[in-house]
Amino acid sequence: MSTPQQSQAVPPVPPSQPGAPRAASQAFPGPHPGGHGYASPIPVRRTHLGHAVASEWTKIRSVRSTVWTLAVMFVLVLGIGLLTAFALGSQDTLEMPVLAGGFFGLMLGQLCVITLGVLVITSEYSTGMIRTTLTACPQRGRVLLAKALVFFLLSFTVTLAACTLTALVQTAMIEGKPVPEYIDPRMLNEETAATGQAVASAGEWLGATVGAALYVALLGLLSLAVGTLLRSTPGAITTMIGLVLLPFIVSLFLFTESVREFGEKLREYSVLNGLSSLFRIPFEGGSADTGWPLLWLLAGVTLAALIGAYARISTRDV
């Protein structure tokens, strides 16, 4: 009888000790480390400005303060413009340009845009959200540019819509009214001077809609730059309101002979005079002032402030 062969004993596999290194095949789910390196299963894309713009648009439209601030601005511009049209429509003659009534609502509405421009950047500093923003997008200049683009386009679009609706209401209610004979013809546009009836020219339409929207949007963009420089909501809002109102108010008290000329220059280059000139009712300067030169001046100041804001955000920690 043959004896059965004894089975060879298999040595037991020792259990893995905690902290012991795993095998290379387990440690690297991708290609072997000696090959081309680790390949992430998550697709990686190169980021660009469009991603930053999409992020800023998501943030600005999802915040309640954006909707409420722009809604208040829209109501102020349209509501005061409507009241002004009612008041001018009850008169027998018209002593100012047809679209001039839109200035009074926008004079208050611009404060809403200024406030929102400050909050776009300072709210992130006050809540600490700026750390998350700059972690997701380390290119700080790209973040600032994306915020500026999104806010400028949003404020320009909403302001343009409010000014256009106001201009349409005023045109429907007061255009065609006779102009008093004592009004200097040089203060009137060609069609109004020829017919004796108040008519808004193409240049007046452009200034009261596109020009006014650009002016207010640039003020908001300047507010964003000031907010980046100061990183304080109260400080930036106070600075911007002072910049808008203080030069004009101070100029009213400079009426003595020694400082009268300085007061006139201060009033001529004030923010309020630039905005009113776009509606053809300048506080200072000739009747031919259209407001466009002051708009380009404001654009230059805003660009300089944005350059300073870029230097600030690029060199200072959050």
Side-chain angles (χ1 to χ4, degrees):
M1 253 171 70
S2 60
T3 59
Q5 296 181 356
Q6 295 182 353
S7 60
Q8 296 180 356
V10 179
V13 178
S16 59
Q17 298 296 327
R22 295 186 298 173
S25 60
Q26 296 177 345
F28 297 92
H32 193 273
H36 297 288
Y38 173 73
S40 173
I42 303 174
V44 178
R45 291 189 242 173
R46 189 177 184 86
T47 59
H48 51 75
L49 179 61
H51 295 117
V53 169
S55 174
E56 293 303 326
W57 169 243
T58 301
K59 284 191 288 186
I60 198 171
R61 68 182 174 86
S62 59
V63 177
R64 293 181 182 178
S65 61
T66 302
V67 178
W68 282 106
T69 305
L70 292 179
V72 169
M73 186 274 293
F74 196 94
V75 170
L76 283 174
V77 175
L78 187 58
I80 296 178
L82 184 61
L83 293 176
T84 305
F86 272 120
L88 295 176
S90 62
Q91 300 178 359
D92 296 330
T93 59
L94 187 63
E95 301 180 4
M96 62 172 58
V98 174
L99 306 180
F103 163 73
F104 303 105
L106 197 58
M107 183 172 57
L108 296 177
Q110 66 179 345
L111 300 179
C112 299
V113 178
I114 288 172
T115 302
L116 183 61
V118 170
L119 290 175
V120 164
I121 184 67
T122 57
S123 61
E124 293 203 32
Y125 280 105
S126 61
T127 60
M129 182 67 183
I130 191 66
R131 296 185 179 91
T132 305
T133 299
L134 296 181
T135 301
C137 182
Q139 293 85 0
R140 300 186 177 193
R142 182 184 294 176
V143 172
L144 182 62
L145 179 59
K147 286 182 179 293
L149 286 175
V150 171
F151 174 74
F152 178 81
L153 292 176
L154 177 62
S155 58
F156 173 76
T157 302
V158 176
T159 307
L160 179 62
C163 291
T164 302
L165 284 176
T166 304
L168 289 173
V169 168
Q170 292 175 336
T171 301
M173 296 182 66
I174 62 178
E175 191 172 42
K177 280 186 169 294
V179 178
E181 296 181 357
Y182 57 81
I183 297 293
D184 189 352
R186 293 175 297 180
M187 299 177 61
L188 308 174
N189 58 55
E190 295 181 0
E191 189 173 353
T192 301
T195 62
Q197 296 180 340
V199 179
S201 64
E204 291 174 353
W205 268 96
L206 186 64
T209 53
V210 177
L214 278 174
Y215 202 90
V216 173
L218 284 173
L219 279 176
L221 201 57
L222 179 60
S223 304
L224 190 151
V226 172
T228 307
L229 290 169
L230 300 182
R231 301 184 177 187
S232 167
T233 301
I237 292 178
T238 303
T239 300
M240 285 304 302
I241 292 179
L243 179 65
V244 171
L245 301 179
L246 199 59
F248 183 81
I249 295 175
V250 169
S251 69
L252 298 178
F253 295 93
L254 302 178
F255 51 83
T256 60
E257 193 66 31
S258 58
V259 294
R260 180 178 301 171
E261 184 177 354
F262 174 72
E264 292 175 354
K265 288 296 181 182
L266 192 62
R267 189 160 52 249
E268 181 180 355
Y269 288 97
S270 65
V271 172
L272 290 180
N273 186 59
L275 187 59
S276 64
S277 297
L278 289 166
F279 291 89
R280 301 300 196 274
I281 49 172
F283 293 119
E284 191 68 40
S287 58
D289 289 347
T290 60
W292 290 99
L294 291 178
L295 188 147
W296 305 133
L297 177 62
L298 176 62
V301 172
T302 303
L303 179 60
L306 285 173
I307 293 173
Y310 170 75
R312 168 81 166 173
I313 199 174
S314 299
T315 57
R316 294 293 298 272
D317 294 332
V318 297

